[in-house]
Amino acid sequence: VFGGNEFNCGTWMDKMGSSDKAGNRGKPSTPRDASAVELVGLSKSILTWIDRLHSQGIWHHKGVTDGKTHWTWKQWADKIHDNFEKYFWVGLEDQDKLINRREIYKDSFGATHSWQDYQFRPNFLVAMTVAPELFIPEHARKALNLTQKVLIGPLGVKTLDPSDWNHRGDYINSDDSHDYHTAHGFNYHQGPEWLWPLGYYFRSLLHFSENKEETVIFIKKLLSVHHRHLETSSWFGLPELTNSNGKHCSDSCHIQAWSHATLLDTLHTIEFM
């Protein structure tokens, strides 16, 4: 899946600048054009599902064609499978001068601004959950270990590596400053800690863990913080995001559905392991 451009918000990371004073009006904070890693994973998952439906006689279309070339659903899925690690894994041997951190999966491939491909964000966790077959297990475990050390916060997951020059961990939508990076909440997805990716982190851990029992204990320990928050929140729920290191964010939704949904998915996965 390839699309978008530097002038549009192409994925859930959809913050469009709105400050004339700071000069970011009409400029997407995180355009994520080209091939966004989570969309590649989702497309692989869907193609595998459609191929299964086709083999069962439920889905009657055989594949896709442009009139000259024809791919079955399996051929398309296999194309993604055969190329994913090649284009998304950043290993110790990679020498590109744009690399900030190694042993991660790229956030995108082919971005207009190439350095954005190499940003360490939690979006790969979605691909890892819905299409784990794309990932070499050894690589997946290394990326997950780094996620724990770098991105995991008390309640949520940092949307950007703190070592990235663009990282700004506190979201303040009312910021009326001249700061291009933060004015009117331009940094919505540049470091604040969102809760919904945490469920995908947990489910990825469960899939690639070499000791399921220890992993379940680790997950439940982290979830105890969410349990306490549920008990003490005046909304009886979990927020959209927090600021850096789990600090309260007054401009975050105080209770949001997907913050709960992906954690419920985790508990469901544990229940039926």
Side-chain angles (χ1 to χ4, degrees), residues 200-260:
Y200 287 97
Y201 167 66
F202 287 152
R203 291 168 69 196
S204 295
L205 279 181
L206 288 167
H207 182 88
F208 288 102
S209 172
E210 295 180 294
N211 189 319
K212 304 292 186 187
E213 186 176 345
E214 285 187 2
T215 300
V216 169
I217 292 171
F218 170 75
I219 289 172
K220 288 185 174 181
K221 181 178 179 180
L222 292 186
L223 284 176
S224 67
V225 180
H226 300 78
H227 185 79
R228 288 197 298 273
H229 188 94
L230 283 165
E231 288 185 325
T232 57
S233 166
S234 58
W235 292 81
F236 300 105
L238 299 172
E240 170 191 25
L241 58 90
T242 71
N243 281 335
S244 56
N245 301 313
K247 292 184 297 187
H248 173 70
C249 176
S250 59
D251 288 322
S252 164
C253 264
H254 296 293
I255 180 170
Q256 195 165 71
W258 64 351
S259 297
H260 301 77

Side-chain angles (χ1 to χ4, degrees), residues 74-92:
K74 186 177 186 304
Q75 285 175 317
W76 190 356
D78 286 347
K79 287 283 187 182
I80 299 174
H81 184 277
D82 295 341
N83 287 280
F84 183 81
E85 281 273 345
K86 176 182 177 181
Y87 289 105
F88 280 94
W89 173 248
V90 182
L92 293 175

Side-chain angles (χ1 to χ4, degrees), residues 4-29:
N5 58 62
E6 63 178 308
F7 306 107
N8 290 289
C9 306
T11 67
W12 79 276
M13 290 187 159
D14 57 356
K15 182 64 177 183
M16 184 67 80
S18 59
S19 173
D20 292 314
K21 182 186 292 186
N24 65 28
R25 179 177 291 279
K27 297 177 182 179
S29 177

Side-chain angles (χ1 to χ4, degrees), residues 89-160:
W89 173 248
V90 182
L92 293 175
E93 71 284 357
D94 290 313
Q95 297 300 314
D96 196 303
K97 63 182 181 181
L98 297 174
I99 294 174
N100 176 49
R101 196 183 289 276
R102 288 174 172 80
E103 296 191 320
I104 67 167
Y105 286 93
K106 294 178 184 177
D107 189 53
S108 59
F109 174 75
T112 301
H113 302 288
S114 299
W115 55 269
Q116 293 178 337
D117 287 339
Y118 292 96
Q119 291 186 302
F120 186 32
R121 298 183 183 274
N123 296 301
F124 78 94
L125 297 168
V126 177
M128 191 175 279
T129 299
V130 301
E133 67 275 11
L134 292 177
F135 296 78
I136 293 174
E138 181 184 0
H139 292 173
R141 285 190 280 271
K142 288 179 178 179
L144 288 168
N145 287 337
L146 201 57
T147 300
Q148 180 186 344
K149 294 175 183 177
V150 176
L151 299 182
I152 300 301
L155 276 180
V157 185
K158 295 178 180 67
T159 40
L160 184 61

